[in-house]
Amino acid sequence: MVSSSVPRWRWQILDSAAGLDPVPPVIAEEPAQDWCNFVVWRPSELPEGCDAGVGTIRREAPPGRVDAVGRSPWSDANPSGYRTEISGGGRRLRLKQFLYDWAFPAADHPCLWGSETRPYGIGEGRVVWLGTDYLGHRAASARLARTTVELSVLEGEFTDEEIVALFAALRPAVPEALPRVLATPFSELSYWARHPAEMVSVPTGVFRFHRQGREHEGDWIPSGEVTAFLTGQGVPVSAGAFHADSAATFGDGSAVRELDVVYASAAGDELRLTAQRTGGGRLAFPPERDKHPATEELHDLDGRPLYLGHLSAEFGACDAWWQHPDGYDLRLLGSAGTGMGRDPFLDLVAEIDAGLRLAGHAEVLG
């Protein structure tokens, strides 16, 4: 939710990809915050016998492929990121922090995709997931005030209790940055919303939906016009504690096929609504399961089938698909949290659906 009383976050950006560091420089969390489009977190407690080294920064730059350590080999994008290692007594783990913004973070913990995961509440509505990452390492992931924080065990063994305690002890390195980041619309933070970087085909939730293409095809609505735009399209601007702060249309260059709306809460929880004219976009209805372990349920929504997938009935993350009576396919994704489980999420779906049916049309989708 964007607050008009809190100044929006602004960070430093390199002028071109040519200015990128060949090797990520060593920098402490506080000065690193000035280079990041996300809240940088620092552990206030460490596993017994371990110390934290000073982290390294990947600074943001416009798109362009460069020969630099730590840059993605599958994209020309150059977003910011912060990496820290914690080690001692023959044990070592890595923390990686960034804004996951090229798609909705799959199951709210994309680095654990495809593995069995276990959620743990870590206070203030937050949840951390434990599982196995794509390299086969014992790993964990959480979204904290929009920041994706990923942990990977590189050497030795760490218990579940130690990993959960480490996440619970994460605190903003620069406390005043947190409300400013949360006061900034997603479209102003997102690298992919600001640059024509190559799109990345990645999973987005329990059910199958991928966007891919040579460039990020989203046409993002200026943040000051989002409320008027959505009102004109008959799309609710709020649901429960969530308020729309960003919206985009996606298409093939000649026609709009999908409308995306990003809803955020004051705490940084997120909903992502996708709508398309039935059969006119990439939502395949009824949905097909993607490969991540999850629970699938079929509910009734005012006489229509509602397909719901979730990882935890208590914490989410949830993925719902249904259809509007006037011929729209709809999908709502939710981040994980203590207030984002199955039942609260179904209430949000019902509220958004009621608002859509009351309005009855979305001109931008044809």
Side-chain angles (χ1 to χ4, degrees), residues 4 22 29 43 70 168 173 177 208 225-226 237 255 268 275 285 289 309 337 340 345:
S4 59
E29 287 95 339
R208 185 177 299 276
E225 301 174 14
V226 168
V237 297
F285 196 90
R289 276 290 309 279
M340 296 293 289
F345 186 79

Side-chain angles (χ1 to χ4, degrees), residues 4-85:
S4 59
S5 62
V6 178
R8 297 179 180 182
W9 180 245
R10 296 293 180 262
W11 62 99
Q12 298 183 60
I13 301 171
L14 296 172
D15 292 333
S16 71
L20 287 166
D21 306 288
V23 177
V26 174
I27 185 172
E29 287 95 339
E30 292 92 336
Q33 180 65 78
D34 289 336
W35 288 95
C36 295
N37 61 333
F38 54 88
V39 177
V40 176
W41 296 83
R42 177 172 56 198
S44 60
E45 298 179 18
L46 297 173
E48 185 175 357
C50 292
D51 294 311
V54 180
T56 57
I57 185 77
R58 291 184 328 197
R59 299 190 287 174
E60 180 181 322
R65 294 188 182 276
V66 295
D67 184 14
V69 174
R71 309 315 294 189
S72 170
W74 38 256
S75 172
D76 64 348
N78 295 301
S80 59
Y82 190 71
R83 184 184 190 277
T84 309
E85 287 198 4

Side-chain angles (χ1 to χ4, degrees), residues 10-290:
R10 296 293 180 262
W11 62 99
Q12 298 183 60
I13 301 171
L14 296 172
D15 292 333
S16 71
L20 287 166
D21 306 288
V23 177
V26 174
I27 185 172
E29 287 95 339
E30 292 92 336
Q33 180 65 78
D34 289 336
W35 288 95
C36 295
N37 61 333
F38 54 88
V39 177
V40 176
W41 296 83
R42 177 172 56 198
S44 60
E45 298 179 18
L46 297 173
E48 185 175 357
C50 292
D51 294 311
V54 180
T56 57
I57 185 77
R58 291 184 328 197
R59 299 190 287 174
E60 180 181 322
R65 294 188 182 276
V66 295
D67 184 14
V69 174
R71 309 315 294 189
S72 170
W74 38 256
S75 172
D76 64 348
N78 295 301
S80 59
Y82 190 71
R83 184 184 190 277
T84 309
E85 287 198 4
I86 296 170
S87 61
R91 304 191 298 170
R92 181 166 62 98
L93 61 80
R94 179 215 68 202
L95 286 179
K96 185 167 65 172
Q97 305 183 46
F98 58 100
L99 179 68
Y100 192 108
D101 57 342
W102 54 85
F104 189 88
D108 220 42
H109 49 253
C111 70
L112 307 179
W113 182 253
S115 78
E116 294 284 350
T117 56
R118 308 179 304 281
Y120 295 86
I122 53 174
E124 300 180 3
R126 306 175 303 169
V127 59
V128 60
W129 299 85
L130 274 59
T132 304
D133 67 18
Y134 60 94
L135 295 174
H137 295 157
R138 179 169 165 75
S141 181
R143 269 212 290 173
L144 310 176
R146 284 181 163 168
T147 302
T148 292
V149 183
E150 297 178 346
L151 178 152
S152 184
V153 176
L154 305 179
E155 293 182 45
E157 298 290 336
F158 291 86
T159 67
D160 286 2
E161 292 76 15
E162 286 180 307
I163 293 173
V164 171
L166 176 60
F167 272 87
L170 290 173
R171 301 289 183 270
V174 181
E176 56 268 29
L178 189 149
R180 293 187 59 188
V181 171
L182 292 181
T184 306
F186 175 84
S187 60
E188 295 182 16
L189 294 171
S190 169
Y191 185 92
W192 271 259
R194 293 180 284 110
H195 294 288
E198 294 180 8
M199 293 182 70
V200 183
S201 178
V202 292
T204 54
V206 172
F207 299 110
R208 185 177 299 276
F209 177 75
H210 294 235
R211 281 199 179 106
Q212 57 186 337
R214 296 193 61 182
E215 289 189 352
H216 188 79
E217 57 182 278
D219 182 12
W220 290 84
I221 308 303
S223 56
E225 301 174 14
V226 168
T227 296
F229 170 78
L230 293 179
T231 300
Q233 297 304 315
V235 177
V237 297
S238 62
F242 294 84
H243 189 82
D245 76 13
S246 302
T249 56
F250 289 81
D252 58 8
S254 60
V256 171
R257 293 192 295 180
E258 298 143 13
L259 169 64
D260 269 18
V261 185
V262 180
Y263 297 88
S265 74
D269 292 324
E270 185 181 328
L271 299 174
R272 188 77 61 93
L273 177 70
T274 299
Q276 68 177 34
R277 175 68 67 178
T278 295
R282 284 164 285 205
L283 294 177
F285 196 90
E288 297 180 1
R289 276 290 309 279
D290 219 322

